[in-house]
Amino acid sequence: MESVRERLIRLSEEAHDYLGQSVPFLDAPPDPLLFYRDWIGPNRPCIIRNACSHWPALNKWTNEYLREKVGSKVISVAITPNGYADAVLGDRFVMPEERQMSLSSVLDIMEGKMKVGGVVYVQKQCSNLLQELPELTSDMEPHVPWMSTALGKLPDAVNFWLGEASAVTSMHKDHYENLFCVISGEKQFLLLPPTDRPFIPYGNHGNPHLTAHCIHGVYQPAVYHQRDDGAMDPHRPVGPRPDPLPSVPAGSSNQLHREGRRDVVPPLTVVSPRQAVTRLHRSELLVRHGLRHQV
């Protein structure tokens, strides 16, 4: 077993040397076949400029436009006390409180016109753009043609995310390719290669809400709820504790942390955490794979 761990450590270090500490840029949408060969096949992330600059959404999606177009639509909104959803608090793995509210109310909260005692984040998966806000689809392409050609299929989901600056997506991984396009503002990503997977506590203990999230191994599942006084507390449901976290090679790992801000999760053990950190700006499109942390 020790020899296997040593080989995994060596593989992880070699992968970091190969992938580097930055995400490459492409200046235009690529040829689908070359894109599959150079990026999807090797499981490498990249940022593509001018990939969605022709979308009307880039100029139209202001707060005023969204209020006029879909302000009355009721959507699913995640609320947490500090912006950290699906993250550890004490001995609990806490998921956000989900509420139904109008998009206008969400915008009022983000603009400081309305208080809810927490941080709001429109982050529901399962194609919430098509399910909850189909009126906005005319402002963008129904799919990204070159990516659909490269993968040989249309997207499984098209999601709409809207959040305050303090809204954070905890470390997780998806089992499919992702395209992330920033329409307004910016979003920072921290990417880890798949070779770090053996050294990150990760698993699924039968809870479908935790399937796509790591670090919950010894933590009791919980959900935030708001008290009568407006404060938010995690509510602990009754249930058995999951199995303990797997062991990590002693002396061969470092802690993953964020300088100047509270950890989204407790320190994770990863080998040689020279993560690729990138900031995605308006109209840029990120193709990503594997484990990642978004801010």
Side-chain angles (χ1 to χ4, degrees), residues 26 51 67 102 111 198 235 246 252 267:
L26 304 182
R67 278 194 176 92
S102 69
E111 292 174 350
H235 169 68
S252 62

Side-chain angles (χ1 to χ4, degrees), residues 115-148:
K115 302 293 184 183
V116 294
V119 177
V120 299
Y121 196 10
V122 180
Q123 61 163 17
K124 191 174 180 64
Q125 305 296 303
C126 303
S127 214
N128 70 328
L129 177 65
L130 305 182
Q131 298 294 326
E132 298 185 328
L133 299 169
E135 297 85 354
L136 296 178
T137 56
S138 60
D139 296 333
M140 53 184 288
E141 289 179 305
H143 67 103
V144 179
W146 51 266
M147 186 63 163
S148 298

